[in-house]
Amino acid sequence: MQAPSLPVVLVHGWAFDPSFWDTIRAALGPIQIRCLDFGFFGPRPAMDLPQVPYVAVGHSLGALWLLRHHGPLCRGLVLINGFSRFGSATDFTHGIPRRVIERMRAGLLREPEGLLHSFRLRAGIDTPLPPHIERDRLEQGLQALMDMDCRNDLKQATCPVHAIAGTEDAIAPPTLTRACFTPGSGVDTPQWLDGGHLLPLTHATTCARAITGMTRRITA
């Protein structure tokens, strides 16, 4: 008899909320799932990780956050449209230039609805924004995208890490992805899909298959 699969933790990216995972949740079927919430559109964040062994799945900023915070109970990480660093640095020239993220921050402070809509449109989705916007938390998220460096976290991860990337990703372009996931980085070769920045929406079945595979491979 096959051992039951581990629970799965899902962490969304910047400018989204837990509803981002609805398609993946349907594709995963009867697996125990917990969706964390940065609180970008809600009354409060909900970022508590389980106190039992689990598999974690992060999208974009959620992948970066998980690399830093996944902890010893995490038995496997799946990073979708993810990266170990997003903002450029002197030793990471393929990152997104600081001026670009600063321009996003200025737009967020000036006109949050317009900035969020244009970002989501560039990512590949044109659905209405949630009515409640927490600008301060979104600004903190941009700060993390600009400065958080999880390259050492990835190298030191004690659990298996699987990365899934889009060949047409306009937010985290392939050059950035390849710079993050090189031999010796902790992920030698991402799983490349013909798609953009929203693979959990556009390639839900393939992403769910990778998640399920991780949960079945590791059961304790």
Side-chain angles (χ1 to χ4, degrees), residues 73-212:
L73 288 172
C74 185
R75 298 294 189 262
L77 280 170
V78 180
L79 314 178
I80 307 177
N81 299 112
F83 31 78
S84 55
R85 183 178 178 96
F86 186 74
S88 63
T90 54
D91 63 343
F92 191 69
T93 56
H94 290 295
I96 303 303
R98 191 177 188 91
R99 68 180 182 277
V100 172
I101 307 174
E102 288 283 13
R103 194 159 57 239
M104 289 177 63
R105 178 178 176 273
L108 176 69
L109 297 177
R110 183 177 61 251
E111 188 186 354
E113 292 87 353
L115 185 279
L116 289 167
H117 179 74
S118 64
F119 173 84
R120 285 160 62 112
L121 195 62
R122 186 162 173 255
I125 193 169
D126 191 19
T127 55
L129 290 168
H132 181 78
I133 296 173
E134 283 289 342
R135 191 167 57 182
D136 289 348
R137 292 185 200 128
L138 284 157
E139 186 180 6
Q140 291 168 11
L142 284 179
Q143 196 70 45
L145 286 170
M146 187 154 45
D147 295 329
M148 187 178 285
D149 189 340
C150 293
R151 287 176 288 177
N152 283 335
D153 301 85
L154 176 58
K155 285 181 182 179
Q156 296 168 9
T158 57
C159 63
V161 183
H162 180 66
I164 305 173
T167 58
E168 304 297 328
D169 194 328
I171 304 299
T175 51
L176 184 153
T177 303
R178 292 190 182 98
C180 288
F181 305 132
T182 59
S185 68
V187 175
D188 289 352
T189 307
Q191 177 184 354
W192 289 99
L193 302 179
D194 291 330
H197 191 64
L198 303 180
L199 295 177
L201 299 180
T202 60
H203 295 67
T205 301
T206 303
C207 291
R209 191 178 300 123
I211 297 165
T212 302

